[in-house]
Amino acid sequence: MEKIPILKMGQFLLVTIQVDLYDRLALNLESDLVQMVSTTEARGVLIDISAVSIVDSFMGRIIGNIASMSKIMDAVTVVVGMQPAVAITLIELGLPLSGVHTALNVEKGMELLKNKILVNGEVPDYDDDEQYDNLDGTE
Amino acid sequence: MEKSRITTTTNSMTILTVLNKDNFKIEKEQDVVPFRNRVKEHAVKIGMGLVNQTKLITAASELVRNMLRYANGGEILIEVVSKIRENGIRLTFTDRGPGIENVERAMTDGFSTGKSLGLGLPGAKRLSSEFTINSVVGKGTIVTIIKWKNG
Ligand SMILES: Nc1ncnc2c1ncn2[C@@H]1O[C@H](COP(=O)(O)OP(=O)(O)O)[C@@H](O)[C@H]1O
Ligand SMILES: [Mg+2]
């Protein structure tokens, strides 16, 4: 079964959703991400949904679940790149996505994550050599 | 369906012309994305803007999920319809599932028998230009929505 790759960038996990997800793929992503937050002790999760054209209540709930589970494990979730039409639609659908931070793009999202973690009283520890570790591959 | 037990929340009696008809069967979860793509094709063809397309497809996605989840699937009629000045897409979702006991309650934000968000029906109504639901316990449910190109 196909899988959505999760990249580790320092203390953050980065997921780029490239297609409109089938339900099972989305559910797998939820459990994989939550597990990876736990095993890598990541402090932030960045989900890029700029290629996603439809977010219904099912997908919205998965995004919300990822955020609230990550929060329990002390990680912040930021959703980036939501298409304006999707944002407008979500409001009318009645899905507030509360507890999920949003940013315009990956760069702004990273900035937001770093700020959030600083506000929580910790200085993130970066290792520049380690920026694009795909945990599915070998290091 | 038995007349006395049909519940209709909204009902509009506009004179419509049907310009195009297309049927889609939903049997499994993997049918959802192709169905949404089919709706999109029709919406694009009539020149519907991106925001209205997104609202229509999101509403359709909610209704198709309900069909799968509560009624094990069903059929959707996709129609291009026209009234005096405007074209639109009409979607009719028909299933032979258990029906809905209390439609008014099912249309309330947050009500769910499936432990999910309970936003599908009320959300789909908000996202559509017109929304009609008929449900008969033991027989099935029919939901019809219209999204006007500019509405
Ligand atoms: N096609 C259907 N057949 C039977 N019951 C349905 C159908 N669609 C919706 N329902 C009922 O209406 C409730 C509300 O639906 P909805 O607003 O989509 O929220 P959710 O799917 O999150 O429960 C469902 O929990 C279910 O009990
Ligand atoms: Mg639903």
Side-chain angles (χ1 to χ4, degrees), chain B residues 92-150:
Chain B
T92 307
F93 299 79
T94 306
D95 71 56
R96 294 174 187 283
I100 302 173
E101 230 166 85
N102 185 334
V103 171
E104 206 180 313
R105 198 175 49 169
M107 290 299 302
T108 313
D109 278 330
F111 175 84
S112 174
T113 59
K115 293 194 177 123
S116 41
L117 295 176
L119 290 173
L121 289 178
K125 184 176 180 180
R126 283 189 290 268
L127 292 168
S128 307
S129 314
E130 296 179 30
F131 180 101
T132 314
I133 179 167
N134 296 308
S135 192
V136 180
V137 173
K139 291 252 165 89
T141 302
I142 302 177
V143 180
T144 305
I145 62 173
I146 298 178
K147 188 74 183 169
W148 296 113
K149 186 178 151 183
N150 304 306

Coordinates of all heavy atoms in Angstrom, one line a residue, chain B residues 92-150:
Chain B
T92 N -28.2 13.9 -7.1 CA -29.2 13.2 -6.3 C -28.6 11.9 -5.8 O -28.2 11.1 -6.5 CB -30.4 12.9 -7.2 OG1 -30.9 14.1 -7.8 CG2 -31.6 12.2 -6.4
F93 N -28.5 11.8 -4.5 CA -27.9 10.7 -3.8 C -29.0 9.7 -3.3 O -29.8 10.1 -2.5 CB -27.1 11.1 -2.6 CG -26.0 12.1 -2.9 CD1 -26.2 13.4 -3.1 CD2 -24.7 11.6 -2.9 CE1 -25.2 14.3 -3.4 CE2 -23.6 12.5 -3.3 CZ -23.9 13.8 -3.5
T94 N -29.0 8.5 -3.8 CA -30.1 7.6 -3.5 C -29.5 6.4 -2.8 O -28.6 5.7 -3.4 CB -30.9 7.2 -4.7 OG1 -31.3 8.4 -5.4 CG2 -32.1 6.3 -4.4
D95 N -30.0 6.0 -1.7 CA -29.5 4.7 -1.1 C -30.7 4.0 -0.5 O -31.8 4.5 -0.3 CB -28.4 5.0 0.0 CG -29.0 5.6 1.3 OD1 -29.9 5.1 1.9 OD2 -28.5 6.7 1.7
R96 N -30.5 2.7 -0.4 CA -31.5 1.8 0.2 C -31.0 1.3 1.6 O -31.1 0.1 1.9 CB -31.7 0.6 -0.7 CG -32.3 1.0 -2.0 CD -32.5 -0.1 -3.0 NE -32.9 0.3 -4.3 CZ -34.2 0.7 -4.6 NH1 -35.1 0.6 -3.7 NH2 -34.5 1.1 -5.8
G97 N -30.5 2.3 2.4 CA -30.0 2.0 3.7 C -31.2 2.0 4.7 O -32.3 1.9 4.4
P98 N -30.8 2.1 6.0 CA -31.8 2.1 7.1 C -32.7 3.3 7.2 O -33.7 3.3 7.9 CB -30.9 2.0 8.3 CG -29.6 2.6 7.9 CD -29.4 2.3 6.5
G99 N -32.4 4.4 6.5 CA -33.1 5.6 6.6 C -32.8 6.4 7.9 O -32.0 5.9 8.7
I100 N -33.3 7.5 8.0 CA -33.0 8.4 9.2 C -34.3 8.6 10.0 O -35.3 9.0 9.5 CB -32.4 9.7 8.7 CG1 -31.2 9.5 7.9 CG2 -32.1 10.6 10.0 CD1 -30.7 10.8 7.3
E101 N -34.2 8.2 11.3 CA -35.3 8.2 12.1 C -35.9 9.7 12.4 O -37.0 9.9 12.2 CB -35.0 7.6 13.5 CG -36.0 6.6 14.0 CD -35.4 5.8 15.1 OE1 -35.5 6.3 16.2 OE2 -34.8 4.7 14.9
N102 N -34.9 10.5 12.7 CA -35.3 11.9 13.0 C -34.4 12.8 12.1 O -33.3 13.2 12.5 CB -35.1 12.2 14.5 CG -35.6 13.5 14.9 OD1 -35.6 14.5 14.1 ND2 -35.9 13.7 16.2
V103 N -35.0 13.3 11.0 CA -34.2 14.0 10.0 C -33.8 15.4 10.6 O -32.7 15.9 10.4 CB -35.0 14.2 8.7 CG1 -34.3 15.2 7.8 CG2 -35.2 12.9 8.0
E104 N -34.8 16.0 11.4 CA -34.5 17.3 12.0 C -33.2 17.2 12.9 O -32.4 18.1 12.8 CB -35.7 17.8 12.8 CG -35.8 19.3 12.9 CD -37.0 19.7 13.7 OE1 -38.1 19.1 13.4 OE2 -36.9 20.5 14.6
R105 N -33.2 16.2 13.7 CA -32.1 16.0 14.6 C -30.8 15.7 13.8 O -29.7 16.2 14.1 CB -32.4 14.8 15.5 CG -31.5 14.8 16.8 CD -31.9 13.8 17.7 NE -32.1 12.5 17.0 CZ -32.3 11.3 17.6 NH1 -32.3 11.2 18.9 NH2 -32.4 10.2 16.9
A106 N -30.9 14.9 12.7 CA -29.7 14.6 11.9 C -29.2 15.8 11.2 O -28.0 15.9 10.9 CB -30.1 13.5 10.9
M107 N -30.1 16.8 11.0 CA -29.6 18.0 10.3 C -29.0 19.0 11.3 O -28.7 20.2 10.9 CB -30.8 18.7 9.6 CG -31.4 18.0 8.4 SD -30.2 17.8 7.1 CE -29.8 19.5 6.8
T108 N -28.9 18.7 12.6 CA -28.3 19.6 13.6 C -26.8 19.5 13.6 O -26.3 18.3 13.6 CB -28.9 19.2 15.0 OG1 -30.3 19.1 14.8 CG2 -28.6 20.3 16.0
D109 N -26.1 20.6 13.7 CA -24.7 20.5 13.8 C -24.3 19.7 15.0 O -24.8 19.9 16.1 CB -24.1 22.0 14.0 CG -24.0 22.7 12.7 OD1 -23.7 22.0 11.7 OD2 -24.1 23.9 12.7
G110 N -23.4 18.8 14.8 CA -22.8 18.0 15.9 C -23.5 16.7 16.2 O -23.1 15.9 17.0
F111 N -24.7 16.5 15.6 CA -25.4 15.3 15.9 C -24.8 14.1 15.0 O -24.8 14.3 13.8 CB -26.9 15.4 15.6 CG -27.6 14.0 15.8 CD1 -28.0 13.6 17.1 CD2 -27.8 13.2 14.7 CE1 -28.6 12.3 17.2 CE2 -28.4 11.9 14.9 CZ -28.8 11.5 16.1
S112 N -24.4 13.1 15.7 CA -23.9 11.9 14.9 C -24.2 10.6 15.6 O -24.0 10.5 16.8 CB -22.4 12.1 14.8 OG -21.8 10.9 14.2
T113 N -24.6 9.6 14.9 CA -24.7 8.3 15.5 C -23.4 7.5 15.2 O -23.3 6.4 15.6 CB -25.9 7.5 14.9 OG1 -25.8 7.4 13.5 CG2 -27.2 8.2 15.2
G114 N -22.5 8.1 14.4 CA -21.3 7.4 14.0 C -20.1 7.9 14.7 O -19.0 7.6 14.2
K115 N -20.3 8.6 15.8 CA -19.1 9.1 16.6 C -18.2 10.0 15.7 O -17.0 10.0 15.9 CB -18.3 8.0 17.2 CG -19.1 7.2 18.3 CD -18.2 6.4 19.1 CE -19.0 5.7 20.2 NZ -18.9 4.2 20.2
S116 N -18.8 10.7 14.7 CA -17.9 11.6 14.0 C -18.4 13.0 14.2 O -19.1 13.2 15.2 CB -17.9 11.2 12.5 OG -19.1 10.9 12.0
L117 N -18.1 14.0 13.4 CA -18.3 15.4 13.8 C -19.8 15.8 13.6 O -20.1 16.9 14.2 CB -17.4 16.3 12.9 CG -15.9 16.1 13.2 CD1 -15.1 16.9 12.2 CD2 -15.5 16.4 14.6
G118 N -20.6 15.1 12.9 CA -22.0 15.5 12.8 C -22.1 16.8 12.0 O -23.1 17.6 12.2
L119 N -21.2 17.0 11.0 CA -21.3 18.2 10.2 C -21.7 18.0 8.8 O -21.9 18.9 8.0 CB -19.9 19.0 10.2 CG -19.5 19.6 11.5 CD1 -18.1 20.1 11.4 CD2 -20.5 20.7 11.9
G120 N -21.8 16.7 8.4 CA -22.0 16.3 7.0 C -23.3 16.9 6.4 O -23.3 17.6 5.4
L121 N -24.4 16.5 7.0 CA -25.7 17.0 6.5 C -25.9 18.5 6.6 O -26.2 19.2 5.7 CB -26.8 16.2 7.2 CG -27.0 14.7 6.8 CD1 -28.2 14.1 7.6 CD2 -27.3 14.6 5.3
P122 N -25.7 19.1 7.9 CA -25.9 20.5 8.0 C -24.9 21.3 7.2 O -25.3 22.3 6.6 CB -25.8 20.8 9.5 CG -25.1 19.6 10.1 CD -25.5 18.4 9.2
G123 N -23.7 20.8 7.1 CA -22.6 21.5 6.3 C -23.0 21.4 4.8 O -22.8 22.4 4.1
A124 N -23.4 20.3 4.4 CA -23.7 20.1 2.9 C -24.9 21.1 2.6 O -24.9 21.7 1.5 CB -24.1 18.7 2.6
K125 N -25.8 21.3 3.5 CA -26.9 22.2 3.2 C -26.4 23.6 3.1 O -26.8 24.4 2.2 CB -28.0 22.1 4.4 CG -29.2 23.0 4.1 CD -30.2 22.8 5.1 CE -31.4 23.7 4.8 NZ -32.5 23.6 5.7
R126 N -25.5 24.0 4.0 CA -24.9 25.4 4.0 C -24.1 25.6 2.7 O -24.1 26.7 2.1 CB -24.0 25.6 5.2 CG -24.8 25.9 6.5 CD -23.9 26.4 7.6 NE -23.0 25.3 8.1 CZ -23.3 24.5 9.1 NH1 -24.4 24.6 9.7 NH2 -22.4 23.6 9.5
L127 N -23.5 24.6 2.2 CA -22.6 24.7 1.1 C -23.3 24.7 -0.3 O -22.8 25.1 -1.3 CB -21.5 23.6 1.1 CG -20.5 23.7 2.2 CD1 -19.7 22.4 2.3 CD2 -19.5 24.9 2.0
S128 N -24.6 24.2 -0.2 CA -25.4 24.1 -1.4 C -26.3 25.3 -1.6 O -26.6 26.0 -0.7 CB -26.2 22.8 -1.4 OG -25.4 21.7 -1.1
S129 N -26.7 25.5 -2.9 CA -27.8 26.5 -3.1 C -29.1 26.0 -2.7 O -30.0 26.8 -2.2 CB -27.8 26.9 -4.6 OG -26.5 27.1 -5.1
E130 N -29.4 24.7 -3.0 CA -30.7 24.1 -2.6 C -30.4 22.7 -2.1 O -29.5 22.0 -2.6 CB -31.6 24.1 -3.8 CG -31.9 25.5 -4.3 CD -32.8 25.5 -5.5 OE1 -33.6 24.6 -5.7 OE2 -32.7 26.5 -6.3
F131 N -31.2 22.4 -1.1 CA -30.9 21.1 -0.4 C -32.3 20.4 0.0 O -33.1 21.1 0.6 CB -30.1 21.4 0.8 CG -29.8 20.1 1.7 CD1 -28.5 19.6 1.6 CD2 -30.7 19.6 2.5 CE1 -28.2 18.5 2.4 CE2 -30.4 18.5 3.3 CZ -29.1 17.9 3.2
T132 N -32.4 19.2 -0.4 CA -33.7 18.5 -0.1 C -33.3 17.1 0.5 O -32.5 16.4 -0.1 CB -34.6 18.3 -1.3 OG1 -34.7 19.5 -2.0 CG2 -36.0 17.9 -0.9
I133 N -33.9 16.7 1.5 CA -33.7 15.4 2.0 C -35.0 14.6 2.3 O -36.0 15.2 2.8 CB -32.8 15.4 3.3 CG1 -32.6 13.9 3.8 CG2 -33.4 16.3 4.4 CD1 -31.5 13.8 4.9
N134 N -35.1 13.4 1.7 CA -36.3 12.5 2.0 C -35.7 11.2 2.5 O -34.9 10.6 1.9 CB -37.0 12.2 0.7 CG -37.6 13.5 0.0 OD1 -38.3 14.2 0.7 ND2 -37.3 13.7 -1.2
S135 N -36.3 10.8 3.7 CA -35.8 9.6 4.3 C -36.9 8.8 4.8 O -37.8 9.3 5.5 CB -34.7 9.9 5.4 OG -34.1 8.7 5.7
V136 N -36.9 7.5 4.5 CA -38.0 6.6 5.1 C -37.3 5.5 5.8 O -36.4 4.8 5.2 CB -38.8 6.0 3.9 CG1 -39.9 5.1 4.5 CG2 -39.5 7.2 3.1
V137 N -37.6 5.4 7.1 CA -37.0 4.3 7.9 C -37.3 3.0 7.3 O -38.4 2.6 6.9 CB -37.5 4.4 9.4 CG1 -37.0 3.2 10.2 CG2 -37.1 5.7 10.0
G138 N -36.2 2.2 7.1 CA -36.3 0.9 6.6 C -36.3 0.8 5.1 O -36.2 -0.3 4.5
K139 N -36.3 2.0 4.4 CA -36.4 2.0 3.0 C -35.1 2.7 2.4 O -34.5 2.2 1.4 CB -37.6 2.8 2.5 CG -38.9 2.0 2.8 CD -39.5 1.5 1.5 CE -40.6 0.4 1.7 NZ -41.9 1.0 1.8
G140 N -34.8 3.8 2.9 CA -33.6 4.5 2.4 C -33.7 6.0 2.4 O -34.6 6.6 3.0
T141 N -32.7 6.6 1.9 CA -32.6 8.1 1.9 C -32.2 8.7 0.6 O -31.5 8.1 -0.2 CB -31.4 8.4 2.9 OG1 -31.8 7.9 4.2 CG2 -31.3 10.0 3.1
I142 N -32.9 9.8 0.3 CA -32.5 10.5 -1.0 C -32.2 11.9 -0.6 O -33.0 12.6 0.0 CB -33.7 10.5 -2.0 CG1 -34.1 9.1 -2.3 CG2 -33.4 11.3 -3.2 CD1 -35.4 9.0 -3.2
V143 N -31.0 12.4 -1.0 CA -30.6 13.8 -0.7 C -30.4 14.4 -2.1 O -29.7 13.8 -2.9 CB -29.4 13.9 0.1 CG1 -29.0 15.3 0.4 CG2 -29.6 13.2 1.5
T144 N -31.0 15.5 -2.3 CA -30.7 16.3 -3.6 C -30.1 17.6 -3.3 O -30.6 18.3 -2.4 CB -32.1 16.4 -4.4 OG1 -32.6 15.1 -4.5 CG2 -31.8 17.1 -5.7
I145 N -29.1 17.9 -4.0 CA -28.5 19.3 -3.8 C -28.4 19.9 -5.2 O -28.2 19.2 -6.2 CB -27.2 19.3 -3.1 CG1 -26.1 18.6 -3.8 CG2 -27.3 18.8 -1.7 CD1 -24.7 18.7 -3.2
I146 N -28.5 21.3 -5.2 CA -28.1 22.0 -6.4 C -27.1 23.1 -6.1 O -27.2 23.7 -5.0 CB -29.4 22.7 -7.0 CG1 -30.4 21.7 -7.5 CG2 -29.0 23.6 -8.3 CD1 -31.7 22.3 -8.0
K147 N -26.1 23.2 -6.9 CA -25.2 24.4 -6.7 C -25.3 25.2 -8.0 O -25.0 24.6 -9.1 CB -23.8 23.9 -6.5 CG -22.8 25.0 -6.1 CD -23.1 25.5 -4.7 CE -22.2 26.7 -4.4 NZ -22.7 27.3 -3.1
W148 N -25.8 26.4 -8.0 CA -25.8 27.2 -9.1 C -24.5 27.7 -9.4 O -23.7 28.0 -8.5 CB -26.8 28.4 -9.0 CG -28.2 27.9 -8.8 CD1 -29.0 28.0 -7.7 CD2 -29.0 27.2 -9.8 NE1 -30.2 27.4 -7.9 CE2 -30.2 26.9 -9.2 CE3 -28.8 26.8 -11.1 CZ2 -31.3 26.2 -9.9 CZ3 -29.8 26.1 -11.8 CH2 -31.0 25.8 -11.2
K149 N -24.2 27.9 -10.7 CA -22.9 28.4 -11.2 C -22.4 29.6 -10.4 O -21.3 29.7 -10.0 CB -23.0 28.7 -12.7 CG -21.7 29.0 -13.3 CD -22.0 29.2 -14.8 CE -21.0 30.2 -15.4 NZ -21.2 30.5 -16.8
N150 N -23.3 30.5 -10.2 CA -23.0 31.8 -9.5 C -23.6 31.9 -8.1 O -23.8 33.0 -7.6 CB -23.3 33.0 -10.3 CG -22.6 33.0 -11.7 OD1 -21.4 32.8 -11.8 ND2 -23.4 33.1 -12.8

